[in-house]
Structure formats: C-alpha cells, structure tokens
Amino acid sequence: MRKILSFIWETAKIIIIALLIVAPIRYFVFQPFFVKGQSMDPNFENGDYLIVYELTYRFRAPERGEVVVFKYPNDLSQRYIKRIIGLPGETVEIKDGKITISNASGKEVLNEKYLPSGTATPGDMKTTLDQNDYFVLGDNRLASSDSRRWGLLPEEDIIGRVLLRAWPLSAFAAFGVPAY
C-alpha cells in the first residue's frame, strides 16, 4: 500500500509541476489557433493549426503585412485571422482593385507579393485610421469578412501575431513580415 501511495504522490507532483510550467506559457505567451474558413487562402487553409505569439505587441507595434489573430470587433467572443494592411494614422484607399496607402512619407500602391499574381481587391472606399486602429484584410479578397465590411480593428482587440503553422506537418512554416 505504501508503494502505491508513493507512486500516486510522485505522479501528482509531476502533474502539478507540469501544469505550473505549461499553463502560464499557454495562457500568456503562446496560444493555439485553428483556421476556420477560406478567408486567408491561399496562404492559410481551413484546418491549419497555428501558434500565435501573444507577447509580440507588448514590445513593439504591429507591422504592415503581419498576420494577426484578434477578437472580432462586433462579437468579442469570436476570433478572426487577417493580415494588417493599414497602420495608425494612415489613409487606406481601395479603388479599381488596388490598395493605396497614404502617410506622412507619401503615397504608395501596395505591392502584395504574398498573393497570387493578378489578385485584385474589390471595393471602393477611403478611410483614415486613428492612432489605435488598424486596417486588416483576408488574403482571399473575394471571400473575406474584413475591414472593408465591418470597419477598423482597434489595437486592444489584437491577441497576437501568427508565429508558425504547426499542422499539417507538410506545410510546417514560420512566419514573419513579408517584404513589400
């Protein structure tokens, strides 16, 4: 009986120590996220298992081109994944299938090398972002509910940036900021 109690106590200690180490990392540093839907095709597909790094934006501001997971502004219980296109203080204009960004350093047409050649962005709009707002779009511009539809993304709703795709293993990859 003593051996059984000793075994149970040792097993309990291992479980407690593991929880003390894993739980804070899981809840405050890295978070899993499953892609649902086709709004980020072809770069992220339905069923992809992603690891989201939650601490990134505690040390720096989000950058254009980063893929972020955030609380959907119209229903904070929902989680969305989109790409940051417009930064605070910029003006984003969508016209004739092209995205133009205007900021203090001038005006430029966004060259999105991560999208298939010939991809156009439908819509006709112009919006200026406040100091804590971001303009986000899905990579699948024809099938994405994004800032064109529901407005700007407040900075406080951003959970973190996509760090890597863990599943499927054949598509395992780490993600950074694309070059423009």
Side-chain angles (χ1 to χ4, degrees):
M1 182 69 170
R2 189 174 177 113
K3 285 184 179 183
I4 293 173
L5 289 175
S6 177
F7 173 77
I8 292 171
W9 173 242
E10 290 300 316
T11 303
K13 284 195 302 188
I14 291 170
I15 291 171
I16 291 169
I17 291 170
L19 287 174
L20 289 173
I21 294 170
V22 172
I25 291 172
R26 161 56 180 89
Y27 287 104
F28 301 111
V29 181
F30 298 105
Q31 186 176 121
F33 179 79
F34 276 103
V35 176
K36 293 179 185 163
Q38 278 72 42
S39 75
M40 290 299 289
D41 278 351
N43 296 306
F44 298 93
E45 296 180 4
N46 189 44
D48 283 358
Y49 182 80
L50 309 175
I51 302 298
V52 177
Y53 185 45
E54 295 183 55
L55 294 180
T56 301
Y57 303 129
R58 293 183 195 262
F59 302 109
R60 67 171 178 81
E63 297 177 26
R64 185 180 341 279
E66 288 183 319
V67 178
V68 295
V69 171
F70 56 91
K71 299 174 199 166
Y72 173 49
N74 294 337
D75 180 358
L76 297 177
S77 68
Q78 298 282 327
R79 302 294 182 259
Y80 274 33
I81 178 173
K82 303 290 177 216
R83 189 177 300 274
I84 293 177
I85 301 298
L87 303 174
E90 294 181 331
T91 298
V92 177
E93 182 176 9
I94 299 174
K95 189 172 186 172
D96 299 327
K98 294 186 170 112
I99 302 170
T100 304
I101 306 289
S102 303
N103 54 30
S105 60
K107 195 178 207 180
E108 66 176 282
V109 173
L110 198 60
N111 182 6
E112 300 174 290
K113 297 176 184 173
Y114 48 83
L115 295 177
S117 158
T119 300
T121 303
D124 187 15
M125 66 179 298
K126 184 174 185 176
T127 186
T128 300
L129 286 69
D130 289 333
Q131 284 308 110
N132 293 315
D133 289 335
Y134 291 86
F135 191 90
V136 295
L137 293 174
D139 289 351
N140 183 354
R141 301 295 162 77
L142 296 175
S144 178
S145 173
D146 48 40
S147 288
R148 294 172 294 172
R149 187 171 183 184
W150 41 259
L152 303 176
L153 172 64
E155 184 174 23
E156 66 266 11
D157 291 346
I158 297 175
I159 295 170
R161 73 177 171 92
V162 174
L163 184 63
L164 59 91
R165 177 180 17 239
W167 187 262
L169 289 177
S170 61
F172 184 88
F175 296 96
V177 179
Y180 285 101

